[in-house]
């Protein structure tokens, strides 16, 4: 097995015991990028090979001297292109930010560096994180490493494809309505959306500020716990960041506790691919056999979640994206006669079609006369969805269901029909609306070999329970021989 194929926790152990050097790990990952990137196209920017090897060497030297190299010491990590990296362009895969080079690091990037991780590149995404297939990127098309005719999911499709193709050991994405968990499911890896406020959003380019969270995409649950350990915790630079202790997530992932599992009846019905449903139910069967209690729960307002999400997310996006006006950041149209024309043309030429659609939908929902009918109504139903979860968590520790209704779909299949694309998020948006933590992990494959994702949500700030359940499912699936990346 090539080094690049190993998990972060395995590599960490091998580096720290001197079994392999950081240079060897970095070389293996960079060679894999060279080999697979021509098809997969996960990266918008991979950093310079010589520079990355020099950084790996510096970590090796530190290690040889017996100094602490940090809990991510020397591990190659990819970052989604909506997370600011000092001196490295950060475009949100949008023409409007095509020339933007942040003068500062996002808190998560800074924490990765402080923990010894090495950022190796910035990954492709749907423009401004709006989409479920990465086909809305203004830059390039990313392909699913399991089947290049299919999408990797989105919007963090580049990060998911990079990890699944072993072109990065771990990656960061962002999740507003499912953008970490859905591509993780479609690419056969693990993805976490933390509790809203658990991870700092400072330096994350805003889409829907009341929904956005940064989260890890990794090869297994322990790696997700490791990266969560590094990026979680209070940050005074983000006013929505929660000031609470960070539990030892890695220890939680190894705990063996018999939990009560709730299956929401609304998420096993119409529209669910039978193979996906069966695979998730089989995994729940393994939990039950191992001593967990399984109960049915209900999320009665979940049927409204897509409508509520697309009103709230678009409303927030229309306000957040007002700053791209040709003056403050990025692209400015040339040959204009006056300032109004400059605003109009810069925005018309700089944004892609999906971003424009969302700005218009959001502006409409917030406009006077429609605000009460749309935005206020959506905000009220959002609260009801949170209350549904509170009622469910009174009966169970975790809620389990499929991450997506179908496995990865063919490139081009849904691009003509935005509503069909929006429905990909039907099982993931509720966790964002309620602000609760959730994880997707692979639980098997379809008969044609495509990965299937299982979704575990826990109560607000319940990452500890979420990791306990995820670790247990992963161990049981491995024993049953159900999954291997
Ligand atoms: N697919 C959803 C959307 O298009 C979610 C995106 C996200 O989580 N960033 O809005």
């Amino acid at each position: 097995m090539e080094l690049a194929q190993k998990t972060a926790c395995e590599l960490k152990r091998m580096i720290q015991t001197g079994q392999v050097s950081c240079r060897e790990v970095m070389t293996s990952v960079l060679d894999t990028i060279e080999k697979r990137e021509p098809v997969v196209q996960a990266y918008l920017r991979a950093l310079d090979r010589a520079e990355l090897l020099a950084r790996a060497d510096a970590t090796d030297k530190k290690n040889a001297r017996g100094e602490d190299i940090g809990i991510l010491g020397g591990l190659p990590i990819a970052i989604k292109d909506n997370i600011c990296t000092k001196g490295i362009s950060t475009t949100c895969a949008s023409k409007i930010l095509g020339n933007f080079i942040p003068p500062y690091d996002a808190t998560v990037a800074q924490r990765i560096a402080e923990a010894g991780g090495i950022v190796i590149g910035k990954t492709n995404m749907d423009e401004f994180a709006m989409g479920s297939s990465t086909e809305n990127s203004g830059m390039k098309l990313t392909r699913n490493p399991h089947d290049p005719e299919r999408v990797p999911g989105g919007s963090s499709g580049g990060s998911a494809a990079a990890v699944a193709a072993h072109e990065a050991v771990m990656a960061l994405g962002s999740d507003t309505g499912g953008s970490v968990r859905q591509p993780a499911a479609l690419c056969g890896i693990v993805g976490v959306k933390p509790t809203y406020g658990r991870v700092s959003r400072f330096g994350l380019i805003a889409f829907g500020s009341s929904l956005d969270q940064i989260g890890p995409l990794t090869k297994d649950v322990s790696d997700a716990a490791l990266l969560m350990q590094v990026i979680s915790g209070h940050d005074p630079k983000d006013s929505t960041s929660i000031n609470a202790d960070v539990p030892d997530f890695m220890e939680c992932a190894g705990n063996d506790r018999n939990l009560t599992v709730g299956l929401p009846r609304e998420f096993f019905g119409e529209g669910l691919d039978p193979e996906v449903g069966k695979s998730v139910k089989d995994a729940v069967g393994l939990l039950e056999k191992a001593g967990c209690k399984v109960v049915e729960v209900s999320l009665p307002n979940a049927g409204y979640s897509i409508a509520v999400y697309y009103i709230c997310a678009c409303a927030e996006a229309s306000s957040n994206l007002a700053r791209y006006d040709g003056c403050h950041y990025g692209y400015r149209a040339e040959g204009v006669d006056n300032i109004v024309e400059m605003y109009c043309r810069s925005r018309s030429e700089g944004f892609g079609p999906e971003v424009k659609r969302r700005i218009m939908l959001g502006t409409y929902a917030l406009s006077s006369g429609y605000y009460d009918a749309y935005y206020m109504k959506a905000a009220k139903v959002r609260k009801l969805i949170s209350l549904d979860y509170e009622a469910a968590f009174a009966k169970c520790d975790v809620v389990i269901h499929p991450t997506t209704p179908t496995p990865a779909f063919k490139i081009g299949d849904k691009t003509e029909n935005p509503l069909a694309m929006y429905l990909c998020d039907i099982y993931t948006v509720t966790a964002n609306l309620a602000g609760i933590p959730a994880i997707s992990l692979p639980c098997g494959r379809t008969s044609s070999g495509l990965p299937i994702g299982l979704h575990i949500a826990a109560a607000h700030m319940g990452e500890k329970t979420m990791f306990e359940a995820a670790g247990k499912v992963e161990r049981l699936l491995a024993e049953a021989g159900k999954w291997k990346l």
Side-chain angles (χ1 to χ4, degrees), residues 66-280:
E67 287 171 35
D68 180 17
I69 57 169
I71 72 167
L72 299 179
L75 296 176
I77 298 170
I79 294 192
K80 186 177 182 180
D81 211 30
N82 59 350
I83 297 175
C84 287
T85 39
K86 187 176 177 178
I88 304 170
S89 81
T90 298
T91 67
C92 276
S94 180
K95 196 174 160 196
I96 213 154
L97 279 174
N99 58 4
F100 177 58
I101 300 182
Y104 67 99
D105 267 330
T107 296
V108 289
Q110 194 188 335
R111 288 193 179 165
I112 285 177
E114 283 163 7
I118 302 178
V119 175
I120 56 170
K122 304 294 294 284
T123 54
N124 197 22
M125 54 185 283
D126 288 296
E127 185 178 4
F128 281 101
M130 297 174 186
S132 306
S133 67
T134 313
E135 291 165 293
N136 293 337
S137 167
M139 308 292 183
K140 55 157 72 164
L141 185 71
T142 300
R143 295 173 182 275
N144 190 313
H146 297 276
D147 176 354
E149 297 301 307
R150 291 175 190 267
V151 302
S155 63
S156 313
S159 286
V163 173
H166 308 293
E167 293 184 37
V169 173
M170 302 195 273
L172 283 184
S174 67
D175 191 312
T176 304
S179 278
V180 166
R181 293 159 289 152
Q182 186 260 15
L186 270 42
C187 288
I189 60 168
V190 173
V192 177
K193 184 207 81 80
T195 300
Y196 182 77
R198 176 70 94 177
V199 174
S200 168
R201 292 184 297 115
F202 178 74
L204 169 68
I205 297 177
F207 163 14
S209 307
S210 76
L211 303 152
D212 298 339
Q213 271 292 283
I214 294 170
L217 291 119
T218 59
K219 293 181 195 180
D220 69 8
V221 174
S222 300
D223 282 8
L226 171 67
L227 195 46
M228 272 291 285
Q229 204 75 53
V230 173
I231 62 174
S232 299
H234 182 240
D235 178 12
K237 291 185 192 146
D238 172 1
S239 62
T240 59
S241 147
I242 295 173
N243 195 350
D245 288 344
V246 178
D248 186 336
F249 295 134
M250 301 205 34
E251 191 188 302
C252 301
N255 279 357
D256 194 24
R257 199 152 71 82
N258 278 337
L259 301 153
T260 303
V261 173
L263 303 183
R265 77 172 79 97
E266 292 80 5
F267 286 176
F268 285 90
E270 208 191 320
L272 174 60
D273 178 295
E275 278 192 295
V276 174
K278 180 174 183 313
S279 172
V280 171

Side-chain angles (χ1 to χ4, degrees), residues 410-425:
K410 287 246 169 77
I411 291 168
D413 252 15
K414 298 190 199 277
T415 40
E416 296 309 313
N417 183 351
L419 282 181
M421 193 71 92
Y422 297 174
L423 283 172
C424 298
D425 309 322

Side-chain angles (χ1 to χ4, degrees), residues 48-65:
D48 178 63
R49 187 178 181 107
E51 191 186 314
L52 291 173
L53 288 174
R55 296 192 44 204
D57 287 342
T59 313
D60 282 331
K61 283 207 186 99
K62 240 176 148 181
N63 206 19
R65 286 196 300 265

